[in-house]
């Protein structure tokens, strides 16, 4: 009988210890979940998750949030009559794709989407050949202004028409590149100036981070 | 690539202009000019180069034109946060002994309304107007920056 008391005590200690370990583990998990690693442009811990939108793809079919699900998508907004920033950025994205050839997540599930914010001039028929000039795999989409803003207002992209001489006009637009994960979370934003090596390195860091924070 | 232009001789030979009148644009050098090949459907192209002033007087490019293009303008890509846009600039000044880069993301020459789209390997015959005198530059078309 006299041996029972220490056993009860040691069982209680063990339970207390297990509880403490469990509690610490839970606290660590919460802490880790809220930690923002040192990845520039990472939108964490509250990345916006894209809600329904509907644009028109170059081939005339619909391009919706469903076309992003299960893919890693670099998204860029511009227009075809933009001689400097847009071709420059699409060239950089072509280089990013080349630099990520050894990355299984991008090789198998990656895509680049160009969204034209100038639907008056950029018909679906025009944006297809335009993006395929940079890479055969690049996707392009556009839509009427309200369809565009259904997407752009979710991530703070702005665009506006600036009159030029005569009938000419140009577009002001957000020139950041956005990275959308397979669950439609906008995980990262890449600001100017765009550098392919930097973007590819950050992509790898973001994917590694996302895999550990499903 | 480095090209030296002597507007003094050019202007004198081409238009028979008195020697002294070309002084204002003396010393202009155009280095590494290139024009970005337009993707299908893109009407306008951007021309980039480095303008150097080896002379003792300030000089200024006031306007631009190119064979086969309806309009040429001096432009600047302007940035406000991550929002970009293009603005017409009246002139590009190059201080004595200084240089100005026309480069992606900044100042450039925009050529609009092409008769035919420029293709890699072509050259665009560009004319810069400096102190009222034409400076001719043959600009190679490239897919990517040199």
């Amino acid at each position: 009988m006299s041996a029972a008391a220490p056993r009860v005590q040691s069982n209680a200690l063990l339970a207390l210890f297990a509880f403490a370990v469990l509690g610490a583990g839970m606290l660590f998990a919460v802490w880790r979940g809220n930690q923002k690693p040192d990845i520039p442009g990472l939108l964490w811990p509250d990345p916006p998750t894209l809600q329904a939108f509907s644009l028109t793809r170059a081939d005339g079919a619909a391009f919706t949030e469903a076309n992003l699900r299960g893919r890693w998508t670099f998204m860029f907004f511009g227009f075809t009559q933009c001689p400097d920033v847009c071709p420059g950025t699409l060239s950089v994205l072509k280089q990013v794709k080349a630099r990520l050839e050894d990355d299984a997540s991008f090789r198998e599930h990656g895509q680049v989407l160009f969204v034209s914010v100038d639907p008056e001039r950029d018909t679906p028929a025009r944006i297809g050949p335009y993006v395929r000039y940079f890479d055969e795999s690049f996707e392009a989409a556009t839509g009427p202004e309200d369809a565009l803003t259904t997407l752009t207002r979710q991530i703070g992209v702005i665009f506006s028409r600036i009159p030029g001489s005569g009938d000419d006009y140009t577009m002001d637009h957000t020139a950041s590149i956005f990275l959308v994960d397979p669950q439609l979370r906008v995980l990262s934003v890449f600001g100017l100036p765009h550098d392919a090596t930097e973007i590819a390195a950050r992509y790898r860091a973001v994917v590694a981070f996302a895999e550990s924070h499903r | 690539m480095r090209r030296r232009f002597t507007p003094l001789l050019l202007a004198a030979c081409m238009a028979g202009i008195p020697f002294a009148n070309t002084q204002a644009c003396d010393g202009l050098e155009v280095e590494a000019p290139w024009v970005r090949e337009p993707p299908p459907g893109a009407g306008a192209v951007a021309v980039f180069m480095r303008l150097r002033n080896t002379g003792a007087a300030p000089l200024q490019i006031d306007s631009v034109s190119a064979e086969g293009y309806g309009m040429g303008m001096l432009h600047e890509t302007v940035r406000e946060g991550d929002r970009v846009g293009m603005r017409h600039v009246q002139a590009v000044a190059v201080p004595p002994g200084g240089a100005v880069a026309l480069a992606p993301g900044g100042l450039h020459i925009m050529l609009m309304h092409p008769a035919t789209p420029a293709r890699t390997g072509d050259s665009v015959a560009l004319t810069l107007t400096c102190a009222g005198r034409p400076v001719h530059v043959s600009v190679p078309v490239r897919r990517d920056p040199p």
Side-chain angles (χ1 to χ4, degrees):
Chain A
M1 294 295 266
S2 61
R7 184 174 297 155
V8 167
Q9 207 172 23
S10 72
N11 281 351
L13 274 173
L14 200 66
L16 193 67
F17 178 71
F19 189 72
V21 167
L22 192 71
M26 284 167 70
L27 277 175
F28 177 73
V30 169
W31 171 81
R32 191 170 152 277
N34 288 327
Q35 275 298 297
K36 186 174 176 175
D38 192 18
I39 305 173
L42 186 74
L43 302 176
W44 197 264
D46 298 308
T49 297
L50 291 181
Q51 307 299 312
F53 66 88
S54 183
L55 298 175
T56 305
R57 215 165 63 172
D59 63 4
F63 191 102
T64 72
E65 74 287 354
N67 297 81
L68 304 180
R69 201 170 288 285
R71 314 288 301 267
W72 282 95
T73 306
F74 284 112
M75 200 161 30
F76 175 68
F77 298 81
F79 62 112
T80 67
Q81 303 307 301
C82 150
D84 183 18
V85 172
C86 305
T89 300
L90 288 165
S91 293
V92 165
L93 286 168
K94 162 89 176 165
Q95 294 163 32
V96 170
K97 187 190 168 201
R99 279 167 173 73
L100 292 175
E101 256 171 12
D102 65 336
D103 183 286
S105 74
F106 197 75
R107 201 176 51 242
E108 289 160 27
H109 308 292
Q111 66 180 345
V112 170
L113 172 67
F114 170 75
V115 178
S116 170
V117 293
D118 182 14
E120 185 179 318
R121 291 181 295 200
D122 289 347
T123 57
R126 175 177 275 199
I127 56 179
Y130 179 81
V131 288
R132 284 196 294 275
Y133 168 83
F134 297 96
D135 191 284
E136 276 297 317
S137 74
F138 284 9
E139 288 276 3
T142 189
E145 191 171 332
D146 56 343
L148 285 167
T149 51
T150 300
L151 170 61
T152 56
R153 68 168 178 236
Q154 298 184 44
I155 47 177
V157 164
I158 47 176
F159 58 96
S160 57
R161 189 174 156 145
I162 309 293
S165 56
D167 290 338
D168 281 333
Y169 64 92
T170 182
M171 302 292 299
D172 278 10
H173 59 104
T174 300
S176 297
I177 298 167
F178 296 84
L179 178 62
V180 186
D181 86 348
Q183 292 98 54
L184 307 188
R185 296 182 299 179
V186 184
L187 280 189
S188 192
V189 56
F190 305 85
L192 290 165
H194 300 311
D195 176 81
T197 306
E198 162 82 15
I199 293 171
R202 270 167 55 187
Y203 170 85
R204 290 176 203 272
V206 170
V207 170
F209 176 77
E211 306 259 290
S212 62
H213 290 82
R214 280 179 193 277
Chain B
M1 199 191 311
R2 190 181 163 98
R3 298 173 182 202
R4 194 186 165 87
F5 289 86
T6 49
L8 215 73
L9 282 174
L10 259 178
C13 294
M14 294 179 58
I17 294 155
F19 211 61
N21 286 1
T22 62
Q23 287 298 316
C25 208
D26 196 17
L28 176 67
E29 284 184 11
V30 176
E31 296 170 355
W34 68 286
V35 55
R36 194 191 287 282
E37 181 184 60
V45 293
V47 185
F48 307 103
M49 64 188 63
R50 196 169 170 81
L51 297 169
R52 189 176 293 284
N53 181 358
T54 61
L59 57 81
Q60 186 169 294
I61 307 297
D62 298 303
S63 65
V64 291
S65 62
E67 268 177 38
Y69 289 84
M71 200 198 302
M73 285 172 108
L74 293 162
H75 265 228
E76 182 168 26
T77 295
V78 291
R79 243 175 87 176
E80 199 182 306
D82 266 343
R83 178 185 176 140
V84 296
M86 278 190 311
R87 300 292 180 268
H88 172 54
V89 293
Q90 291 297 329
V92 173
V94 193
V100 172
L102 308 191
L107 284 169
H108 57 271
I109 292 164
M110 178 141 140
L111 302 177
M112 288 158 278
H113 311 305
T116 53
R119 287 288 153 248
T120 297
D122 297 349
S123 286
V124 173
L126 181 77
T127 302
L128 310 174
T129 304
C130 174
R133 305 286 173 230
V135 176
H136 301 286
V137 187
S138 173
V139 184
V141 181
R142 301 177 58 99
R143 198 179 169 109
D144 293 301

